[in-house]
Amino acid sequence: MATTAELFEEPFVADEYIERLVWRTPGGGSRGGSEAFDPKRLLEEFVNHIQELQIMDERIQRKVEKLEQQCQKEAKEFARKVQELQKSNQVAFQHFQELDEHISYVATKVCHLGDQLEGVNTPRQRAVEAQKLMKYFNEFLDGELKSDVFTNSEKIKEAADIIQKLHLIAQELPFDRFSEVKSKIASKYHDLECQLIQEFTSAQRRGEISRMREVAAVLLHFKGYSHCVDVYIKQCQEGAYLRNDIFEDAAILCQRVNKQVGDIFSNPETVLAKLIQNVFEIKLQSFVKDQLEECRRSDAEQYLKNLYDLYTRTTNLSSKLMEFNLGTDKQTFLSKLIKSIFISYLENYIEVETGYLKSRSAMILQRYYDSKNHQKRSIGTGGIQDLKERIRQRTNLPLGPSIDTHGETFLSQEVVVNLLQETKQAFERCHRLSDPSDLPRNAFRIFTILVEFLCIEHIDYALETGLAGIPSSDSRNANLYFLDVVHQANTIFHLFDKQFNDHLMPLIRTLNCMIGQMKHILAAEQKKTDFKPEDENNVLIQYTNACVKVCAYVRKQVEKIKNSMDGKNVDTVLMELGVRFHRLIYEHLQQYSYSCMGGMLAICDVAEYRKCAKDFKIPLVLQLFDTLHALCNLLVVAPDNLKQVCSGEQLANLDKTILHSFVQLRADYRSARLARHFS
């Protein structure tokens, strides 16, 4: 059996097992063995070995049966234990439920008891508070303040809370019976208010932000809170204007206050807006007045240069302040501040500009003719337009007395460059200082002055003089200087034409043409049924055809502008175009009535317009379209949620009339439910 057991080594292979058995049997091998092959002996060995395997199989089978019986017994025992545990668990769970119900019952009782205690305690607290106030009121009535809260300077916060309540109570008392005590309370109210403001002032000078915040919180309920803000604004400007650049100083001041004001006041955006208003209306306005009034009547050139420079720097400062939260429509707020400073100067700006340009142009020409010792004369009524006719006449008709120009063309590129430079500066000032609605008209007025002095008074005069200087056909040794005049006039006119295209045309045509083209696309492509479809449940388009065409046109124009200009000129033109683009879409959307699905299409359209606005890379333009997108949500939001949407971050600061104007565009606006929720 031991030999048999050895033959069962793992891994077991039957062929190998038989082979090993044969080799172990004497006479069983035929190769390399010491004994001859003996089949009988091998057969006998196989028979014996089979018997041994049968005996082994029986023993193993009995052992397996015994183990199976044992396993079944243990499985039954395990199942019994599991059943007992389940029963125990059910009992425990039942106890837990009973305990939970008991806890809930106790909690309900506790809450009820708490409510009862609060119901008793609240009137009690009010009664105690009223009793204390009556006690303090009696002290004012007796004329002697004995309480520690009024005599201890360290308890000014508690005293302020009490006197503020007494002041409200005193206002309800009849004057004839309580005039004296009302006067005493008012006096104490005023004294404490002054003490708090003084304490705030001292804390600000010491730089104690926490104390400033504490005092400001107490003063918030006093009438003098605004005076506290005024004190803060006044003191934070002390030593702020030490550089030569008041605009840079103002920007740094506002940045510093913006970081600090939120740690002091509960309404930081209002305080910051008041500081900016103070800076503009007092500091900047005074500075601008000093710079402009001195030269307003005596030196028009310096006045215009100063006005352009000051207005530009003020608008640049305004752009920097746009990043702050001012609690209102920042663009409108800052625009009004700028207007309040410059309105008296901008109202008659174009008159000053044109008056100066005329006098300056006349002086440039007169200086030139004086240098030539030439006295300008009147030569006929002709002009460039009848040049060909004049030449034809001179070749066919006898000539009158001619003028000897001694070879002088009376044309000067230096004069022309000076005139064009003056006009270019005038165009730049006009673009910056003119109201957008007046810009084309003002630019044209400047252009007519250029035409008058450059084309008529200089070029036309030189041509007329040259024509008069052409000798008669029978003259001997005649010098034909007129061709020199024509050559120089042609060169000069090219300079004039370049300025016309570079500076005038962009001001009076391009942007207006772009907006006009957009209006045409919208008028032709947008249909009323786009936003009020007949079948609300069968709308397949994502945005309207008008939107697709307008966006394609705008992207093309933006690309042209970027390729045609460089530097800040690109941003300036794109900002103007973007603002006009937004205004066009805003006014266009106001023309329609919107169903629920139509409102969704309008939102999709505005989302496309907003994607288009991103190509401008101008923050203001993108902000305008973000707000417009938020406004369009009012077209589809459920009536119950209208107020919540209107108080959202993007719409909270808008005027209610703007919000109402969009809600009115809804097809269901007249429903009582909608009107009730929006009122």
Side-chain angles (χ1 to χ4, degrees), residues 77-109:
E77 181 65 21
F78 181 75
R80 183 185 63 78
K81 290 182 179 180
V82 169
Q83 289 178 351
E84 291 178 356
L85 289 174
Q86 286 179 339
K87 291 180 181 179
S88 300
N89 185 57
Q90 289 177 350
V91 173
F93 182 73
Q94 184 177 358
H95 290 167
F96 176 78
Q97 284 185 321
E98 293 175 356
L99 180 61
D100 185 57
E101 291 174 359
H102 186 65
I103 291 173
S104 299
Y105 175 77
V106 173
T108 303
K109 289 292 184 180

PDB file of all heavy atoms in Angstrom, residues 77-109:
ATOM      1  N   GLU A  77     -26.626  22.308  12.689  1.00  0.00           N
ATOM      2  CA  GLU A  77     -26.353  23.039  13.928  1.00  0.00           C
ATOM      3  C   GLU A  77     -26.176  24.548  13.639  1.00  0.00           C
ATOM      4  O   GLU A  77     -26.672  25.401  14.374  1.00  0.00           O
ATOM      5  CB  GLU A  77     -25.086  22.469  14.591  1.00  0.00           C
ATOM      6  CG  GLU A  77     -24.700  23.120  15.905  1.00  0.00           C
ATOM      7  CD  GLU A  77     -25.719  22.882  16.999  1.00  0.00           C
ATOM      8  OE1 GLU A  77     -26.512  21.910  16.883  1.00  0.00           O
ATOM      9  OE2 GLU A  77     -25.747  23.659  17.982  1.00  0.00           O
ATOM     10  N   PHE A  78     -25.481  24.818  12.524  1.00  0.00           N
ATOM     11  CA  PHE A  78     -25.246  26.227  12.156  1.00  0.00           C
ATOM     12  C   PHE A  78     -26.570  26.916  11.789  1.00  0.00           C
ATOM     13  O   PHE A  78     -26.818  28.070  12.181  1.00  0.00           O
ATOM     14  CB  PHE A  78     -24.280  26.290  10.965  1.00  0.00           C
ATOM     15  CG  PHE A  78     -23.960  27.683  10.519  1.00  0.00           C
ATOM     16  CD1 PHE A  78     -23.087  28.484  11.251  1.00  0.00           C
ATOM     17  CD2 PHE A  78     -24.537  28.212   9.368  1.00  0.00           C
ATOM     18  CE1 PHE A  78     -22.803  29.762  10.842  1.00  0.00           C
ATOM     19  CE2 PHE A  78     -24.252  29.487   8.967  1.00  0.00           C
ATOM     20  CZ  PHE A  78     -23.377  30.284   9.700  1.00  0.00           C
ATOM     21  N   ALA A  79     -27.423  26.213  11.044  1.00  0.00           N
ATOM     22  CA  ALA A  79     -28.727  26.770  10.671  1.00  0.00           C
ATOM     23  C   ALA A  79     -29.560  27.051  11.910  1.00  0.00           C
ATOM     24  O   ALA A  79     -30.266  28.070  11.989  1.00  0.00           O
ATOM     25  CB  ALA A  79     -29.446  25.809   9.733  1.00  0.00           C
ATOM     26  N   ARG A  80     -29.485  26.135  12.912  1.00  0.00           N
ATOM     27  CA  ARG A  80     -30.245  26.348  14.146  1.00  0.00           C
ATOM     28  C   ARG A  80     -29.772  27.609  14.868  1.00  0.00           C
ATOM     29  O   ARG A  80     -30.565  28.414  15.358  1.00  0.00           O
ATOM     30  CB  ARG A  80     -30.088  25.113  15.053  1.00  0.00           C
ATOM     31  CG  ARG A  80     -30.902  25.178  16.337  1.00  0.00           C
ATOM     32  CD  ARG A  80     -30.597  23.984  17.207  1.00  0.00           C
ATOM     33  NE  ARG A  80     -29.206  23.949  17.623  1.00  0.00           N
ATOM     34  CZ  ARG A  80     -28.717  24.732  18.613  1.00  0.00           C
ATOM     35  NH1 ARG A  80     -29.496  25.581  19.280  1.00  0.00           N
ATOM     36  NH2 ARG A  80     -27.439  24.644  18.936  1.00  0.00           N
ATOM     37  N   LYS A  81     -28.424  27.773  14.907  1.00  0.00           N
ATOM     38  CA  LYS A  81     -27.880  28.959  15.575  1.00  0.00           C
ATOM     39  C   LYS A  81     -28.280  30.256  14.849  1.00  0.00           C
ATOM     40  O   LYS A  81     -28.582  31.272  15.483  1.00  0.00           O
ATOM     41  CB  LYS A  81     -26.357  28.855  15.645  1.00  0.00           C
ATOM     42  CG  LYS A  81     -25.862  27.795  16.612  1.00  0.00           C
ATOM     43  CD  LYS A  81     -24.334  27.778  16.672  1.00  0.00           C
ATOM     44  CE  LYS A  81     -23.835  26.737  17.666  1.00  0.00           C
ATOM     45  NZ  LYS A  81     -22.361  26.695  17.738  1.00  0.00           N
ATOM     46  N   VAL A  82     -28.272  30.179  13.487  1.00  0.00           N
ATOM     47  CA  VAL A  82     -28.672  31.379  12.714  1.00  0.00           C
ATOM     48  C   VAL A  82     -30.120  31.737  13.009  1.00  0.00           C
ATOM     49  O   VAL A  82     -30.467  32.922  13.170  1.00  0.00           O
ATOM     50  CB  VAL A  82     -28.460  31.137  11.204  1.00  0.00           C
ATOM     51  CG1 VAL A  82     -29.114  32.242  10.378  1.00  0.00           C
ATOM     52  CG2 VAL A  82     -26.988  31.068  10.874  1.00  0.00           C
ATOM     53  N   GLN A  83     -30.992  30.743  13.098  1.00  0.00           N
ATOM     54  CA  GLN A  83     -32.402  31.003  13.402  1.00  0.00           C
ATOM     55  C   GLN A  83     -32.547  31.648  14.778  1.00  0.00           C
ATOM     56  O   GLN A  83     -33.342  32.575  14.977  1.00  0.00           O
ATOM     57  CB  GLN A  83     -33.201  29.695  13.334  1.00  0.00           C
ATOM     58  CG  GLN A  83     -33.377  29.171  11.918  1.00  0.00           C
ATOM     59  CD  GLN A  83     -34.139  27.854  11.892  1.00  0.00           C
ATOM     60  OE1 GLN A  83     -34.396  27.227  12.941  1.00  0.00           O
ATOM     61  NE2 GLN A  83     -34.490  27.402  10.681  1.00  0.00           N
ATOM     62  N   GLU A  84     -31.766  31.128  15.742  1.00  0.00           N
ATOM     63  CA  GLU A  84     -31.816  31.716  17.088  1.00  0.00           C
ATOM     64  C   GLU A  84     -31.349  33.179  17.068  1.00  0.00           C
ATOM     65  O   GLU A  84     -31.934  34.038  17.727  1.00  0.00           O
ATOM     66  CB  GLU A  84     -30.949  30.891  18.042  1.00  0.00           C
ATOM     67  CG  GLU A  84     -31.509  29.505  18.332  1.00  0.00           C
ATOM     68  CD  GLU A  84     -30.591  28.705  19.252  1.00  0.00           C
ATOM     69  OE1 GLU A  84     -29.494  29.230  19.582  1.00  0.00           O
ATOM     70  OE2 GLU A  84     -30.970  27.581  19.630  1.00  0.00           O
ATOM     71  N   LEU A  85     -30.255  33.458  16.265  1.00  0.00           N
ATOM     72  CA  LEU A  85     -29.762  34.845  16.164  1.00  0.00           C
ATOM     73  C   LEU A  85     -30.791  35.755  15.503  1.00  0.00           C
ATOM     74  O   LEU A  85     -30.946  36.925  15.884  1.00  0.00           O
ATOM     75  CB  LEU A  85     -28.444  34.867  15.372  1.00  0.00           C
ATOM     76  CG  LEU A  85     -27.224  34.274  16.082  1.00  0.00           C
ATOM     77  CD1 LEU A  85     -26.039  34.222  15.138  1.00  0.00           C
ATOM     78  CD2 LEU A  85     -26.871  35.101  17.322  1.00  0.00           C
ATOM     79  N   GLN A  86     -31.497  35.234  14.477  1.00  0.00           N
ATOM     80  CA  GLN A  86     -32.531  36.028  13.825  1.00  0.00           C
ATOM     81  C   GLN A  86     -33.654  36.378  14.792  1.00  0.00           C
ATOM     82  O   GLN A  86     -34.162  37.505  14.796  1.00  0.00           O
ATOM     83  CB  GLN A  86     -33.083  35.271  12.610  1.00  0.00           C
ATOM     84  CG  GLN A  86     -32.134  35.246  11.419  1.00  0.00           C
ATOM     85  CD  GLN A  86     -32.708  34.468  10.259  1.00  0.00           C
ATOM     86  OE1 GLN A  86     -33.604  33.633  10.447  1.00  0.00           O
ATOM     87  NE2 GLN A  86     -32.168  34.724   9.063  1.00  0.00           N
ATOM     88  N   LYS A  87     -34.023  35.408  15.609  1.00  0.00           N
ATOM     89  CA  LYS A  87     -35.058  35.681  16.604  1.00  0.00           C
ATOM     90  C   LYS A  87     -34.588  36.745  17.595  1.00  0.00           C
ATOM     91  O   LYS A  87     -35.329  37.663  17.945  1.00  0.00           O
ATOM     92  CB  LYS A  87     -35.418  34.387  17.344  1.00  0.00           C
ATOM     93  CG  LYS A  87     -36.157  33.374  16.480  1.00  0.00           C
ATOM     94  CD  LYS A  87     -36.481  32.112  17.284  1.00  0.00           C
ATOM     95  CE  LYS A  87     -37.195  31.099  16.414  1.00  0.00           C
ATOM     96  NZ  LYS A  87     -37.501  29.841  17.159  1.00  0.00           N
ATOM     97  N   SER A  88     -33.312  36.620  17.990  1.00  0.00           N
ATOM     98  CA  SER A  88     -32.766  37.620  18.925  1.00  0.00           C
ATOM     99  C   SER A  88     -32.718  39.008  18.268  1.00  0.00           C
ATOM    100  O   SER A  88     -33.005  40.029  18.907  1.00  0.00           O
ATOM    101  CB  SER A  88     -31.361  37.205  19.373  1.00  0.00           C
ATOM    102  OG  SER A  88     -31.384  35.958  20.023  1.00  0.00           O
ATOM    103  N   ASN A  89     -32.357  39.008  16.987  1.00  0.00           N
ATOM    104  CA  ASN A  89     -32.287  40.288  16.262  1.00  0.00           C
ATOM    105  C   ASN A  89     -33.669  40.923  16.139  1.00  0.00           C
ATOM    106  O   ASN A  89     -33.808  42.145  16.268  1.00  0.00           O
ATOM    107  CB  ASN A  89     -31.690  40.049  14.876  1.00  0.00           C
ATOM    108  CG  ASN A  89     -31.481  41.349  14.116  1.00  0.00           C
ATOM    109  OD1 ASN A  89     -30.794  42.236  14.588  1.00  0.00           O
ATOM    110  ND2 ASN A  89     -32.082  41.448  12.944  1.00  0.00           N
ATOM    111  N   GLN A  90     -34.668  40.126  15.868  1.00  0.00           N
ATOM    112  CA  GLN A  90     -36.024  40.649  15.783  1.00  0.00           C
ATOM    113  C   GLN A  90     -36.475  41.249  17.111  1.00  0.00           C
ATOM    114  O   GLN A  90     -37.108  42.306  17.158  1.00  0.00           O
ATOM    115  CB  GLN A  90     -36.985  39.538  15.339  1.00  0.00           C
ATOM    116  CG  GLN A  90     -36.817  39.128  13.885  1.00  0.00           C
ATOM    117  CD  GLN A  90     -37.742  37.984  13.507  1.00  0.00           C
ATOM    118  OE1 GLN A  90     -38.379  37.371  14.371  1.00  0.00           O
ATOM    119  NE2 GLN A  90     -37.779  37.673  12.201  1.00  0.00           N
ATOM    120  N   VAL A  91     -36.119  40.568  18.173  1.00  0.00           N
ATOM    121  CA  VAL A  91     -36.471  41.096  19.500  1.00  0.00           C
ATOM    122  C   VAL A  91     -35.759  42.430  19.743  1.00  0.00           C
ATOM    123  O   VAL A  91     -36.360  43.400  20.222  1.00  0.00           O
ATOM    124  CB  VAL A  91     -36.099  40.068  20.596  1.00  0.00           C
ATOM    125  CG1 VAL A  91     -36.304  40.679  21.986  1.00  0.00           C
ATOM    126  CG2 VAL A  91     -36.941  38.796  20.447  1.00  0.00           C
ATOM    127  N   ALA A  92     -34.442  42.452  19.390  1.00  0.00           N
ATOM    128  CA  ALA A  92     -33.672  43.691  19.584  1.00  0.00           C
ATOM    129  C   ALA A  92     -34.235  44.829  18.728  1.00  0.00           C
ATOM    130  O   ALA A  92     -34.332  45.976  19.165  1.00  0.00           O
ATOM    131  CB  ALA A  92     -32.198  43.451  19.248  1.00  0.00           C
ATOM    132  N   PHE A  93     -34.623  44.486  17.479  1.00  0.00           N
ATOM    133  CA  PHE A  93     -35.173  45.515  16.584  1.00  0.00           C
ATOM    134  C   PHE A  93     -36.500  46.033  17.130  1.00  0.00           C
ATOM    135  O   PHE A  93     -36.788  47.239  17.064  1.00  0.00           O
ATOM    136  CB  PHE A  93     -35.361  44.914  15.189  1.00  0.00           C
ATOM    137  CG  PHE A  93     -35.875  45.896  14.177  1.00  0.00           C
ATOM    138  CD1 PHE A  93     -35.041  46.901  13.681  1.00  0.00           C
ATOM    139  CD2 PHE A  93     -37.196  45.838  13.739  1.00  0.00           C
ATOM    140  CE1 PHE A  93     -35.509  47.808  12.761  1.00  0.00           C
ATOM    141  CE2 PHE A  93     -37.671  46.758  12.818  1.00  0.00           C
ATOM    142  CZ  PHE A  93     -36.824  47.745  12.319  1.00  0.00           C
ATOM    143  N   GLN A  94     -37.298  45.147  17.670  1.00  0.00           N
ATOM    144  CA  GLN A  94     -38.565  45.566  18.258  1.00  0.00           C
ATOM    145  C   GLN A  94     -38.333  46.499  19.444  1.00  0.00           C
ATOM    146  O   GLN A  94     -39.000  47.526  19.599  1.00  0.00           O
ATOM    147  CB  GLN A  94     -39.367  44.336  18.692  1.00  0.00           C
ATOM    148  CG  GLN A  94     -40.750  44.682  19.229  1.00  0.00           C
ATOM    149  CD  GLN A  94     -41.544  43.445  19.578  1.00  0.00           C
ATOM    150  OE1 GLN A  94     -41.067  42.324  19.379  1.00  0.00           O
ATOM    151  NE2 GLN A  94     -42.743  43.632  20.089  1.00  0.00           N
ATOM    152  N   HIS A  95     -37.315  46.144  20.257  1.00  0.00           N
ATOM    153  CA  HIS A  95     -36.974  47.018  21.394  1.00  0.00           C
ATOM    154  C   HIS A  95     -36.483  48.383  20.904  1.00  0.00           C
ATOM    155  O   HIS A  95     -36.796  49.422  21.504  1.00  0.00           O
ATOM    156  CB  HIS A  95     -35.906  46.352  22.262  1.00  0.00           C
ATOM    157  CG  HIS A  95     -36.410  45.177  23.021  1.00  0.00           C
ATOM    158  ND1 HIS A  95     -35.578  44.269  23.669  1.00  0.00           N
ATOM    159  CD2 HIS A  95     -37.666  44.708  23.243  1.00  0.00           C
ATOM    160  CE1 HIS A  95     -36.293  43.335  24.248  1.00  0.00           C
ATOM    161  NE2 HIS A  95     -37.576  43.573  24.006  1.00  0.00           N
ATOM    162  N   PHE A  96     -35.685  48.335  19.807  1.00  0.00           N
ATOM    163  CA  PHE A  96     -35.166  49.591  19.259  1.00  0.00           C
ATOM    164  C   PHE A  96     -36.311  50.480  18.768  1.00  0.00           C
ATOM    165  O   PHE A  96     -36.312  51.695  18.982  1.00  0.00           O
ATOM    166  CB  PHE A  96     -34.201  49.291  18.102  1.00  0.00           C
ATOM    167  CG  PHE A  96     -33.690  50.512  17.402  1.00  0.00           C
ATOM    168  CD1 PHE A  96     -32.675  51.280  17.964  1.00  0.00           C
ATOM    169  CD2 PHE A  96     -34.238  50.916  16.186  1.00  0.00           C
ATOM    170  CE1 PHE A  96     -32.205  52.401  17.321  1.00  0.00           C
ATOM    171  CE2 PHE A  96     -33.776  52.046  15.546  1.00  0.00           C
ATOM    172  CZ  PHE A  96     -32.752  52.795  16.111  1.00  0.00           C
ATOM    173  N   GLN A  97     -37.308  49.875  18.082  1.00  0.00           N
ATOM    174  CA  GLN A  97     -38.448  50.651  17.621  1.00  0.00           C
ATOM    175  C   GLN A  97     -39.208  51.267  18.788  1.00  0.00           C
ATOM    176  O   GLN A  97     -39.624  52.427  18.737  1.00  0.00           O
ATOM    177  CB  GLN A  97     -39.388  49.762  16.799  1.00  0.00           C
ATOM    178  CG  GLN A  97     -38.883  49.476  15.384  1.00  0.00           C
ATOM    179  CD  GLN A  97     -39.894  48.694  14.585  1.00  0.00           C
ATOM    180  OE1 GLN A  97     -40.561  47.794  15.125  1.00  0.00           O
ATOM    181  NE2 GLN A  97     -39.999  49.015  13.295  1.00  0.00           N
ATOM    182  N   GLU A  98     -39.380  50.476  19.833  1.00  0.00           N
ATOM    183  CA  GLU A  98     -40.073  51.004  21.013  1.00  0.00           C
ATOM    184  C   GLU A  98     -39.295  52.166  21.627  1.00  0.00           C
ATOM    185  O   GLU A  98     -39.876  53.176  22.023  1.00  0.00           O
ATOM    186  CB  GLU A  98     -40.258  49.880  22.045  1.00  0.00           C
ATOM    187  CG  GLU A  98     -41.220  48.786  21.586  1.00  0.00           C
ATOM    188  CD  GLU A  98     -41.279  47.635  22.576  1.00  0.00           C
ATOM    189  OE1 GLU A  98     -40.497  47.679  23.568  1.00  0.00           O
ATOM    190  OE2 GLU A  98     -42.078  46.703  22.370  1.00  0.00           O
ATOM    191  N   LEU A  99     -37.932  51.988  21.671  1.00  0.00           N
ATOM    192  CA  LEU A  99     -37.095  53.053  22.219  1.00  0.00           C
ATOM    193  C   LEU A  99     -37.167  54.315  21.348  1.00  0.00           C
ATOM    194  O   LEU A  99     -37.245  55.441  21.859  1.00  0.00           O
ATOM    195  CB  LEU A  99     -35.645  52.567  22.323  1.00  0.00           C
ATOM    196  CG  LEU A  99     -34.630  53.571  22.886  1.00  0.00           C
ATOM    197  CD1 LEU A  99     -35.005  53.976  24.306  1.00  0.00           C
ATOM    198  CD2 LEU A  99     -33.225  52.972  22.855  1.00  0.00           C
ATOM    199  N   ASP A 100     -37.157  54.111  20.004  1.00  0.00           N
ATOM    200  CA  ASP A 100     -37.230  55.249  19.083  1.00  0.00           C
ATOM    201  C   ASP A 100     -38.553  55.998  19.245  1.00  0.00           C
ATOM    202  O   ASP A 100     -38.591  57.233  19.241  1.00  0.00           O
ATOM    203  CB  ASP A 100     -37.071  54.754  17.646  1.00  0.00           C
ATOM    204  CG  ASP A 100     -37.024  55.883  16.647  1.00  0.00           C
ATOM    205  OD1 ASP A 100     -36.148  56.761  16.790  1.00  0.00           O
ATOM    206  OD2 ASP A 100     -37.856  55.909  15.721  1.00  0.00           O
ATOM    207  N   GLU A 101     -39.637  55.233  19.360  1.00  0.00           N
ATOM    208  CA  GLU A 101     -40.941  55.865  19.577  1.00  0.00           C
ATOM    209  C   GLU A 101     -40.974  56.641  20.884  1.00  0.00           C
ATOM    210  O   GLU A 101     -41.519  57.744  20.958  1.00  0.00           O
ATOM    211  CB  GLU A 101     -42.037  54.800  19.559  1.00  0.00           C
ATOM    212  CG  GLU A 101     -42.262  54.170  18.183  1.00  0.00           C
ATOM    213  CD  GLU A 101     -43.247  53.027  18.244  1.00  0.00           C
ATOM    214  OE1 GLU A 101     -43.727  52.722  19.366  1.00  0.00           O
ATOM    215  OE2 GLU A 101     -43.548  52.429  17.188  1.00  0.00           O
ATOM    216  N   HIS A 102     -40.324  56.066  21.885  1.00  0.00           N
ATOM    217  CA  HIS A 102     -40.288  56.740  23.188  1.00  0.00           C
ATOM    218  C   HIS A 102     -39.471  58.039  23.112  1.00  0.00           C
ATOM    219  O   HIS A 102     -39.869  59.067  23.669  1.00  0.00           O
ATOM    220  CB  HIS A 102     -39.690  55.792  24.242  1.00  0.00           C
ATOM    221  CG  HIS A 102     -39.756  56.343  25.637  1.00  0.00           C
ATOM    222  ND1 HIS A 102     -40.951  56.586  26.294  1.00  0.00           N
ATOM    223  CD2 HIS A 102     -38.756  56.701  26.496  1.00  0.00           C
ATOM    224  CE1 HIS A 102     -40.696  57.068  27.494  1.00  0.00           C
ATOM    225  NE2 HIS A 102     -39.364  57.153  27.647  1.00  0.00           N
ATOM    226  N   ILE A 103     -38.325  57.931  22.382  1.00  0.00           N
ATOM    227  CA  ILE A 103     -37.489  59.129  22.221  1.00  0.00           C
ATOM    228  C   ILE A 103     -38.259  60.216  21.464  1.00  0.00           C
ATOM    229  O   ILE A 103     -38.208  61.403  21.826  1.00  0.00           O
ATOM    230  CB  ILE A 103     -36.185  58.776  21.489  1.00  0.00           C
ATOM    231  CG1 ILE A 103     -35.293  57.916  22.393  1.00  0.00           C
ATOM    232  CG2 ILE A 103     -35.436  60.037  21.051  1.00  0.00           C
ATOM    233  CD1 ILE A 103     -34.060  57.381  21.692  1.00  0.00           C
ATOM    234  N   SER A 104     -38.973  59.821  20.398  1.00  0.00           N
ATOM    235  CA  SER A 104     -39.760  60.786  19.630  1.00  0.00           C
ATOM    236  C   SER A 104     -40.833  61.426  20.496  1.00  0.00           C
ATOM    237  O   SER A 104     -41.081  62.645  20.408  1.00  0.00           O
ATOM    238  CB  SER A 104     -40.405  60.098  18.417  1.00  0.00           C
ATOM    239  OG  SER A 104     -39.426  59.572  17.557  1.00  0.00           O
ATOM    240  N   TYR A 105     -41.442  60.606  21.325  1.00  0.00           N
ATOM    241  CA  TYR A 105     -42.478  61.123  22.223  1.00  0.00           C
ATOM    242  C   TYR A 105     -41.893  62.150  23.194  1.00  0.00           C
ATOM    243  O   TYR A 105     -42.450  63.239  23.393  1.00  0.00           O
ATOM    244  CB  TYR A 105     -43.109  59.948  22.988  1.00  0.00           C
ATOM    245  CG  TYR A 105     -44.101  60.375  24.038  1.00  0.00           C
ATOM    246  CD1 TYR A 105     -45.385  60.792  23.681  1.00  0.00           C
ATOM    247  CD2 TYR A 105     -43.751  60.357  25.388  1.00  0.00           C
ATOM    248  CE1 TYR A 105     -46.293  61.183  24.657  1.00  0.00           C
ATOM    249  CE2 TYR A 105     -44.647  60.742  26.365  1.00  0.00           C
ATOM    250  CZ  TYR A 105     -45.921  61.164  25.992  1.00  0.00           C
ATOM    251  OH  TYR A 105     -46.806  61.558  26.961  1.00  0.00           O
ATOM    252  N   VAL A 106     -40.725  61.759  23.779  1.00  0.00           N
ATOM    253  CA  VAL A 106     -40.073  62.677  24.722  1.00  0.00           C
ATOM    254  C   VAL A 106     -39.649  63.975  24.008  1.00  0.00           C
ATOM    255  O   VAL A 106     -39.807  65.079  24.541  1.00  0.00           O
ATOM    256  CB  VAL A 106     -38.852  62.001  25.380  1.00  0.00           C
ATOM    257  CG1 VAL A 106     -38.068  63.003  26.222  1.00  0.00           C
ATOM    258  CG2 VAL A 106     -39.303  60.816  26.240  1.00  0.00           C
ATOM    259  N   ALA A 107     -39.086  63.824  22.765  1.00  0.00           N
ATOM    260  CA  ALA A 107     -38.650  64.999  22.012  1.00  0.00           C
ATOM    261  C   ALA A 107     -39.824  65.923  21.718  1.00  0.00           C
ATOM    262  O   ALA A 107     -39.703  67.158  21.802  1.00  0.00           O
ATOM    263  CB  ALA A 107     -37.981  64.564  20.712  1.00  0.00           C
ATOM    264  N   THR A 108     -40.965  65.317  21.371  1.00  0.00           N
ATOM    265  CA  THR A 108     -42.160  66.131  21.116  1.00  0.00           C
ATOM    266  C   THR A 108     -42.575  66.901  22.359  1.00  0.00           C
ATOM    267  O   THR A 108     -42.910  68.094  22.303  1.00  0.00           O
ATOM    268  CB  THR A 108     -43.314  65.232  20.644  1.00  0.00           C
ATOM    269  OG1 THR A 108     -42.900  64.511  19.477  1.00  0.00           O
ATOM    270  CG2 THR A 108     -44.550  66.061  20.318  1.00  0.00           C
ATOM    271  N   LYS A 109     -42.522  66.214  23.472  1.00  0.00           N
ATOM    272  CA  LYS A 109     -42.864  66.873  24.740  1.00  0.00           C
ATOM    273  C   LYS A 109     -41.894  68.015  25.045  1.00  0.00           C
ATOM    274  O   LYS A 109     -42.294  69.087  25.485  1.00  0.00           O
ATOM    275  CB  LYS A 109     -42.838  65.843  25.881  1.00  0.00           C
ATOM    276  CG  LYS A 109     -43.978  64.841  25.864  1.00  0.00           C
ATOM    277  CD  LYS A 109     -45.309  65.527  26.174  1.00  0.00           C
ATOM    278  CE  LYS A 109     -46.437  64.517  26.265  1.00  0.00           C
ATOM    279  NZ  LYS A 109     -47.733  65.187  26.575  1.00  0.00           N
TER     280      LYS A 109
END
